Amino acid sequence: AQSVTQLDSHVSVSEGTPVLLRCNYSSSYSPSLFWYVQHPNKGLQLLLKYTSAATLVKGINGFEAEFKKSETSFHLTKPSAHMSDAAEYFCVVMNTGTASKLTFGTGTRLQVTL
Amino acid sequence: DTEVTQTPKHLVMGMTNKKSLKCEQHMGHRAMYWYKQKAKKPPELMFVYSYEKLSINESVPSRFSPECPNSSLLNLHLHALQPEDSALYLCASSLWGLLNEQFFGPGTRLTVL
């Protein structure tokens, strides 16, 4: 079985300050992990993915995430928030076993203020 | 071409109407997916097609009928929907199947009156 927990439903930061969106996962197998972003009334865009290579993953738009097996975490960070980063962020886990499906977290809404 | 397109962007239909949602990709992907997303919730998987064959149906009511006419197209036929079916319907595709990353379309916003 697999599951993912996004610890914050809503995060608010000021423009130019760091962003931290937290994600913990549970997986019976070696997982693949993803972060997707969804802007209002839009589809999901892949920010970055971890698939058992380097534990520090760099994605688009300055985002990165670190896979920490000992903590079962995959937190998303960005050094400096921009107004355009305001969106919903989903942490997603996928087992590498057969017939694996994506399991989505409940999402974190990022608000960026001036 | 590295995108998934969906038409229409918005759809309003009555409970007795028949309508279809369309999804298209030209990335050579052989797996395609339909998801349903309610407001402030994560997407929920509805159907998976792999090599044009239905491989997963997540116990979706029969008023939703998927169709995959070829490897680039995925349709979702709608009939006798209920107001609670109003949602954002997302299409996605991946290279071979569930073990590959999925690319999502912009969605169709469906309202059932």
Side-chain angles (χ1 to χ4, degrees):
Chain A
Q2 60 189 27
S3 66
V4 59
T5 302
Q6 291 185 243
L7 295 143
D8 306 293
S9 60
H10 182 256
V11 170
S12 182
V13 301
S14 299
E15 190 175 33
T17 64
V19 175
L20 170 63
L21 305 183
R22 298 182 294 166
C23 172
N24 285 97
Y25 70 91
S26 171
S27 174
S28 303
Y29 301 95
S30 298
S32 291
L33 293 156
F34 308 84
W35 275 99
Y36 281 90
V37 61
Q38 186 176 33
H39 289 90
N41 298 309
K42 300 290 186 184
L44 279 73
Q45 181 183 20
L46 181 66
L47 277 178
L48 49 81
K49 61 180 179 178
Y50 166 77
T51 54
S52 75
T55 56
L56 182 62
V57 182
K58 293 188 184 298
I60 61 171
N61 301 335
F63 284 95
E64 62 181 41
E66 186 172 7
F67 174 73
K68 291 187 177 180
K69 187 174 181 179
S70 61
E71 299 176 10
T72 60
S73 69
F74 190 58
H75 301 333
L76 182 69
T77 60
K78 182 174 180 177
S80 176
H82 191 272
M83 294 297 289
S84 60
D85 294 327
E88 189 84 19
Y89 291 78
F90 292 100
C91 182
V92 182
V93 65
M94 181 180 72
N95 282 329
T96 52
T98 57
S100 296
K101 292 176 281 189
L102 300 183
T103 297
F104 285 80
T106 50
T108 298
R109 176 155 297 278
L110 176 64
Q111 181 181 15
V112 182
T113 59
L114 288 171
Chain B
D1 190 350
T2 58
E3 65 173 0
V4 177
T5 59
Q6 290 186 246
T7 55
K9 291 185 178 179
H10 301 274
L11 178 62
V12 179
M13 60 186 290
M15 290 189 285
T16 58
N17 292 156
K18 284 185 181 181
K19 297 286 185 182
S20 296
L21 309 185
K22 180 179 173 181
C23 173
E24 195 165 3
Q25 57 85 18
H26 295 287
M27 294 180 279
H29 290 175
R30 302 308 300 272
M32 297 185 77
Y33 311 79
W34 281 116
Y35 287 84
K36 174 183 178 180
Q37 186 179 24
K38 301 285 277 185
K40 301 187 188 304
K41 297 289 186 183
E44 299 174 6
L45 183 65
M46 300 174 71
F47 302 104
V48 180
Y49 271 84
S50 181
Y51 291 83
E52 294 94 72
K53 293 194 186 310
L54 183 64
S55 61
I56 293 178
N57 177 341
E58 292 287 282
S59 303
V60 178
S62 59
R63 57 185 184 269
F64 295 91
S65 175
E67 178 197 20
C68 190
N70 60 56
S71 60
S72 300
L73 279 175
L74 184 67
N75 299 320
L76 186 62
H77 303 298
L78 314 172
H79 174 55
L81 294 193
Q82 303 296 310
E84 59 264 29
D85 296 321
S86 299
L88 181 68
Y89 288 83
L90 294 164
C91 175
S93 71
S94 65
L95 191 57
W96 296 308
L98 287 159
L99 294 181
N100 305 119
E101 70 182 77
Q102 294 181 26
F103 294 80
F104 285 81
T108 293
R109 174 72 59 189
L110 174 67
T111 302
V112 182
L113 301 176

